[in-house]
Amino acid sequence: PVPYPCVLTYRGERLVQDAPGGAFTRWARLSPDKKRLILLPGAEPQGWEVSVRDAAVRILNASHQHYRNILATGSTNDGFNLHGPATDLVFENIQACHNLDEGFSAHDQIDCTVRGGRFWENDNGIGNVANCVMAATDIETWSNLGWGIWLRDCRATLSGVKSWNNGISQIYFDTGARVTCEDVTYAPAAWTERPWTSYKESRRENLQPPYLVRADAEVSGQVPQEVANPQTLQAGT
């Protein structure tokens, strides 16, 4: 048995815990020792996945590489986990979902480009830290448990970015972030309290503004724009 938290999915849907009480919102409940899954009425034994691998795609100290058309899912860490130093890493048409930590996360002097990325039902959609540099175009983050996009102590250029229905904030430029934005939009969540439990960096946070910038972060270019209706941002629109 693998003690929870790990990543549990039922027929392609991630099981999430409600933030106030920690109960799964549907399909099952945990045994008292958190090692057994007890199915609720309507859930069947078939169609379950319990993910225990550490990372789906891991890159360590590797430069001048190009990754295309990858779905990274079901890890207990990040879907795309990048550690450097490294330069000239390019990602095209990537997706990451159902990861216990970020869908995409760059650390340690990574210099990367993302052209087309979809990130959902992770702890956070994108979370970059520690002196990395990212140029990201055509990005969508939604239904992540914590933050849609979270940047700290790093640089980024964001273009054509949409973020909605994430649990805590849609876009969070944390301490030391240096970000240039163009055509970045977000929609405020419908809830007044955070709905889901998260497990990594955002686990102790309460609901935050949909667009949050720390005092020592710097944002240039076009100010990210809020739209009232998240349906105008949904994938494929």
Side-chain angles (χ1 to χ4, degrees), residues 9 43-44 50 61 74 87 92-93 98 159 184 187 221:
T9 62
E44 299 179 351
V50 182
N61 301 335
T87 189
E92 289 187 321
N93 187 32
H98 305 156
S159 176
V184 175

Side-chain angles (χ1 to χ4, degrees), residues 13-213:
E13 175 187 346
R14 179 171 178 172
L15 270 69
V16 296
Q17 293 176 286
D18 69 79
F24 287 131
T25 57
R26 57 188 304 186
W27 301 124
R29 63 182 176 88
L30 281 174
S31 62
D33 63 3
K34 296 186 178 181
K35 291 186 177 181
R36 292 182 299 118
L37 203 60
I38 301 170
L39 305 189
L40 297 179
E44 299 179 351
Q46 296 77 30
W48 291 88
E49 293 183 2
V50 182
S51 300
V52 296
R53 61 186 173 192
D54 183 56
V57 177
R58 170 167 290 160
I59 301 168
L60 176 63
N61 301 335
S63 297
H64 313 299
Q65 297 186 358
H66 202 143
Y67 298 83
R68 296 184 181 93
N69 307 326
I70 297 174
L71 171 61
T73 182
S75 78
T76 58
N77 195 342
D78 306 320
F80 291 85
N81 179 269
L82 286 60
H83 284 267
T87 189
D88 189 28
L89 297 176
V90 180
F91 301 84
E92 289 187 321
N93 187 32
I94 61 171
Q95 302 177 75
C97 64
H98 305 156
N99 297 290
L100 193 63
D101 204 353
E102 274 80 40
F104 184 97
S105 189
H107 320 68
D108 307 327
Q109 299 178 350
I110 288 285
D111 191 333
C112 64
T113 299
V114 183
R115 301 184 189 123
R118 307 291 179 262
F119 308 99
W120 72 98
E121 293 188 0
N122 308 285
D123 225 47
N124 307 306
I126 294 177
N128 291 353
V129 299
N131 298 314
C132 70
V133 179
M134 177 183 70
T137 304
D138 184 20
I139 303 297
E140 296 180 350
T141 69
W142 73 95
S143 298
N144 295 286
L145 308 184
W147 301 308
I149 297 175
W150 170 56
L151 304 176
R152 186 184 70 193
D153 293 325
C154 63
R155 289 184 290 149
T157 300
L158 305 179
S159 176
V161 172
K162 302 176 182 180
S163 191
W164 71 96
N165 281 356
N166 300 287
I168 298 177
S169 275
Q170 310 309 311
I171 299 172
Y172 180 21
F173 297 149
D174 202 346
T175 299
R178 305 289 183 265
V179 189
T180 301
C181 297
E182 180 182 2
D183 187 25
V184 175
T185 53
Y186 63 91
W191 39 82
T192 56
E193 297 181 356
R194 64 173 298 178
W196 309 305
T197 299
S198 57
Y199 308 99
K200 300 292 186 174
E201 291 87 355
S202 65
R203 64 188 180 277
R204 295 187 179 92
E205 301 290 342
N206 294 316
L207 186 69
Q208 297 172 337
Y211 172 51
L212 177 61
V213 181

